[in-house]
């Protein structure tokens, strides 16, 4: 099944480009470390998902590019075409001459309705080129105006036009110190609207990725491209083909559907976080050796201690003891900083994946009591190595995102003093809309906190 990617705003278009680059680089690399037959079926499954073949023989990305300014889209189109490995369809993009001015309301209430027909027409055309449509993968930032406001509007349109297709929103969480003065407003409005129409939200935090670039990738002067390449690597490690069943003979045909079935058992809980191990500069790989038990031990502790990278994990955090004498109505039996999951998915790629012991992820104390650990945990595997790593593991986890509380809190403090509200009301977003969004996200935080 094929996935149609919808790239929204400057951030969405730049990350989308790096994702297709990473996927193409992985397919063309000679580092599969597996049999020729295995490699060929991996190639075929990947191409069906993300690209379509045309007469030119250069694969064309199944993507629609949308921005309210032309600069980034024209750069993205030409850079992809110059690579020679893949390209975008020159007709599958839409841009205007004026941006959204970092205002969610402008993107959602003005640009969205005004350009709905053209954008959805492009999406429809791209969907019709798929033999079997698996769903939509949207990429957007929450801080600005186009990615967030127009992104939320387009997601609602996708839900209306394709009611039975899966929609996964990939959302970039802004830097805590702030890129945009009203980013917390934009974030609250985006998240609350996406929660209504999306099947799941896969979140990357800029602060975390920045740290990975500095501490793990050893990059001295970090650019947005460096950050985007780390994000693209992590996304590729989830979306490239795998066997979803033990001893499966065919690569999974429905990646979005499998992801939702595995990780989103209840519509109240749809926040997904992603961890990846190991991560290091390419030049270090030749001098590094990894064992599966070591990687799995680190990955499990990253989950328990809510650490997003393998450096600086708090090894003191332990899961709560089940059956402790303290009644469950008291939250005191949950250790400080312990991260309870609704569901977890581990994806293993590379040598000897069949022999890896994942029993430690089936520990009932990691999960909420109303789900059987056998249902809450899944593993996907492939002997095909990913992106030059002989062994690598990704963990997609459905659990509360730490910064959600603080973003809602900061936005509420601004809202209470009526700061910048007039910027939104002039585009038709009223105080009542803000209150609805706050209420919706408070409910999400409360649901996760009560796990």
């Amino acid at each position: 099944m094929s996935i149609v990617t919808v790239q929204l705003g400057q951030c969405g278009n730049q990350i989308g480009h790096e994702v297709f680059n990473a996927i193409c680089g992985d397919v063309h690399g000679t580092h599969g470390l597996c049999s020729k037959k295995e490699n060929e079926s991996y190639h075929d499954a990947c191409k069906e998902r993300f690209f379509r073949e045309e007469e030119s023989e250069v694969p064309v990305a199944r993507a629609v590019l949308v921005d309210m300014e032309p600069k980034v889209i024209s750069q993205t189109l030409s850079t992809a075409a110059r690579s020679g490995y893949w390209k975008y369809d020159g007709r599958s993009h839409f841009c205007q001459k004026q941006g959204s001015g970092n205002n969610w309301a402008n993107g959602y209430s003005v640009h969205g309705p005004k350009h709905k027909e053209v954008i959805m027409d492009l999406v429809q055309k791209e969907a019709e080129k798929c033999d079997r449509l698996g769903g939509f993968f949207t990429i957007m930032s929450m801080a600005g105006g186009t990615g967030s406001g127009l992104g939320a509007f387009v997601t609602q349109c996708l839900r209306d036009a394709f009611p039975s297709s899966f929609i996964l929103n990939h959302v970039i969480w802004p830097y805590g110190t702030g890129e945009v003065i009203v980013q917390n407003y934009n974030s609250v409005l985006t998240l609350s609207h996406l929660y209504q129409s999306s099947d799941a939200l896969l979140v990357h935090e800029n602060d975390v990725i920045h740290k990975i670039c500095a501490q793990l990738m050893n990059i001295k002067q970090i650019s947005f491209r460096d950050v985007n390449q780390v994000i693209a690597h992590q996304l590729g490690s989830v979306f490239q083909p795998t066997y979803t069943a033990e001893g499966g003979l065919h690569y999974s045909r429905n990646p979005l559907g499998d992801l939702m079935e595995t990780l989103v058992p209840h519509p109240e809980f749809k926040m997904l976080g992603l961890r990846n191990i190991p991560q290091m500069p390419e030049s270090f790989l030749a001098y590094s050796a990894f064992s599966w038990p070591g990687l799995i031990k680190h990955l499990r502790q990253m989950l328990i201690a809510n650490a997003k990278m393998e450096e600086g994990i708090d090894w003191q955090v332990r899961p709560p003891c089940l059956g402790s004498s303290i009644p469950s109505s008291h939250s005191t039996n949950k250790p400080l900083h312990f991260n309870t999951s609704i569901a977890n998915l581990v994806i293993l790629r590379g040598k000897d994946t069949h022999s890896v012991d994942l029993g430690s992820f089936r520990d009932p104390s990691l999960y909420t009591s109303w789900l059987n650990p056998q249902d809450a945990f899944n593993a996907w595997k492939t002997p095909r190595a990913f992106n030059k790593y002989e062994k690598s593991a990704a963990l997609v986890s459905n659990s509360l995102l730490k910064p959600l509380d603080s973003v809602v809190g900061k936005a509420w403090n601004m809202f209470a003093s009526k700061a910048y509200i007039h910027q939104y009301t002039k585009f038709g977003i009223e105080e009542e809309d803000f209150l609805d969004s706050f209420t919706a996200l408070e409910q999400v935080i409360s649901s996760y906190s009560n796990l």
Side-chain angles (χ1 to χ4, degrees):
M1 280 189 167
S2 305
I3 298 171
V4 172
T5 301
V6 184
Q7 304 176 182
L8 294 141
Q10 177 178 339
C11 173
N13 279 295
Q14 288 173 335
I15 289 175
H17 173 257
E18 294 297 349
V19 169
F20 285 113
N21 247 357
I23 286 165
C24 229
D26 177 50
V27 168
H28 285 285
T30 52
H31 48 268
L33 303 178
C34 59
S35 69
K36 191 167 179 229
K37 185 179 173 222
E38 183 74 57
N39 211 25
E40 281 170 2
S41 59
Y42 183 89
H43 275 212
D44 294 343
C46 169
K47 285 235 170 100
E48 183 198 15
R49 277 178 192 195
F50 295 106
F51 298 97
R52 50 188 163 84
E53 303 284 299
E54 288 203 343
E55 295 75 49
S56 65
E57 290 188 359
V58 177
V60 180
R62 298 182 187 278
V64 174
L65 293 72
V66 180
D67 200 1
M68 289 298 111
E69 295 169 299
K71 186 178 158 193
V72 171
I73 285 189
S74 67
Q75 281 174 350
T76 306
L77 292 174
S78 61
T79 315
R82 278 202 308 273
S83 76
Y85 286 122
W86 67 281
K87 64 180 183 181
Y88 286 107
D89 184 332
R91 299 176 302 275
S92 283
H93 64 88
F94 173 78
C95 54
Q96 290 290 287
K97 292 285 186 282
Q98 84 287 11
S100 302
N102 290 327
N103 187 324
W104 188 91
N106 196 1
Y108 183 84
S109 304
V110 179
H111 292 317
K114 186 176 174 187
H115 305 301
K116 173 183 175 180
E117 219 164 284
V118 190
I119 295 170
M120 291 311 291
D121 191 44
L122 290 175
V123 172
Q124 184 71 44
K125 281 181 181 154
E126 202 54 58
E128 284 167 3
K129 288 173 187 159
C130 302
D131 288 342
R132 298 180 311 148
L133 176 65
F136 297 93
F137 179 52
T138 71
I139 308 178
M140 62 180 80
S141 155
M142 296 198 308
T146 301
S148 62
L150 186 64
F153 183 85
V154 168
T155 305
Q156 284 176 343
C157 295
L158 287 173
R159 176 51 72 226
D160 293 341
F162 301 91
S164 54
S165 291
F166 292 108
I167 300 173
L168 174 64
N169 288 96
H170 177 245
V171 183
I172 302 297
W173 204 280
Y175 285 102
T177 49
E179 304 149 61
V180 176
I181 190 97
V182 289
Q183 67 178 32
N184 296 313
Y185 280 165
N186 292 343
S187 299
V188 164
L189 291 162
T190 305
L191 285 170
S192 62
H193 282 75
L194 291 182
Y195 228 79
Q196 292 166 23
S197 35
S198 174
D199 288 298
L201 281 68
L202 180 59
V203 180
H204 266 114
E205 299 164 52
N206 266 343
D207 287 314
V208 169
I209 304 299
H210 201 91
K211 255 173 127 171
I212 289 173
C213 286
Q215 294 177 23
L216 300 184
M217 307 305 285
N218 227 6
I219 300 167
K220 297 287 174 272
Q221 297 214 297
I222 298 164
S223 67
F224 274 122
R225 183 151 192 239
D226 296 321
V227 169
N228 294 345
Q229 283 176 339
V230 170
I231 291 171
H233 172 81
Q234 293 201 352
L235 290 172
S237 72
V238 172
F239 287 113
Q240 282 293 61
T242 52
Y243 298 107
T244 51
E246 199 65 55
L249 298 173
H250 300 288
Y251 277 113
S252 152
R253 302 302 295 273
N254 185 6
L256 290 184
D258 291 338
L259 204 66
M260 303 307 171
E261 185 185 344
T262 304
L263 286 164
V264 190
H266 189 287
E268 184 75 31
F269 302 95
K270 41 174 104 166
M271 297 287 257
L272 307 180
L274 175 51
R275 294 168 176 84
N276 206 274
I277 185 172
Q279 283 182 281
M280 59 177 57
E282 203 177 304
S283 54
F284 287 22
L285 285 174
Y287 309 101
S288 308
F290 299 100
S291 72
W292 281 121
L295 290 174
I296 297 306
K297 183 181 177 188
H298 273 76
L299 198 58
R300 181 178 187 264
Q301 192 61 28
M302 284 162 72
L303 170 70
I304 289 170
N306 214 347
K308 291 296 193 308
M309 58 184 202
E310 63 259 43
E311 204 163 288
I313 303 172
D314 184 349
W315 289 91
Q316 302 302 310
V317 181
R318 291 269 177 274
C321 298
L322 286 179
S324 68
S325 54
I326 306 168
S328 58
S329 56
H330 297 330
S331 56
T332 40
N333 66 340
K334 199 183 277 191
L336 196 62
H337 308 310
F338 177 72
N339 179 33
T340 305
S341 307
I342 290 279
N344 288 311
L345 166 66
V346 168
I347 301 167
L348 306 178
R349 299 176 183 274
K351 278 171 70 175
D352 308 324
T353 50
H354 57 278
S355 60
V356 181
D357 176 13
L358 291 167
S360 60
F361 276 97
R362 294 192 172 87
D363 178 351
S365 62
L366 300 180
Y367 302 97
T368 174
S369 56
W370 48 264
L371 261 186
N372 181 337
Q374 299 308 317
D375 301 323
F377 175 72
N378 282 273
W380 299 351
K381 302 173 185 178
T382 172
R384 176 47 165 87
F386 174 66
N387 221 345
K388 303 185 179 64
Y389 288 87
E390 182 187 68
K391 298 182 179 113
S392 63
L395 168 67
V396 192
S397 178
N398 185 336
S399 52
L400 181 62
L401 230 87
K402 270 199 295 194
L404 182 58
D405 223 351
S406 92
V407 161
V408 172
K410 286 176 187 168
W412 178 257
N413 288 341
M414 279 175 69
F415 181 76
S417 58
K418 300 277 188 281
Y420 302 103
I421 294 291
H422 65 283
Q423 306 277 17
Y424 291 79
T425 50
K426 70 180 179 191
F427 293 118
I429 296 295
E430 301 300 334
E431 289 186 21
E432 207 166 297
D433 298 310
F434 275 98
L435 290 171
D436 288 345
S437 291
F438 282 122
T439 307
L441 291 186
E442 289 291 356
Q443 179 57 52
V444 172
I445 293 169
S446 158
S447 299
Y448 272 107
S449 304
N450 288 329
L451 289 177

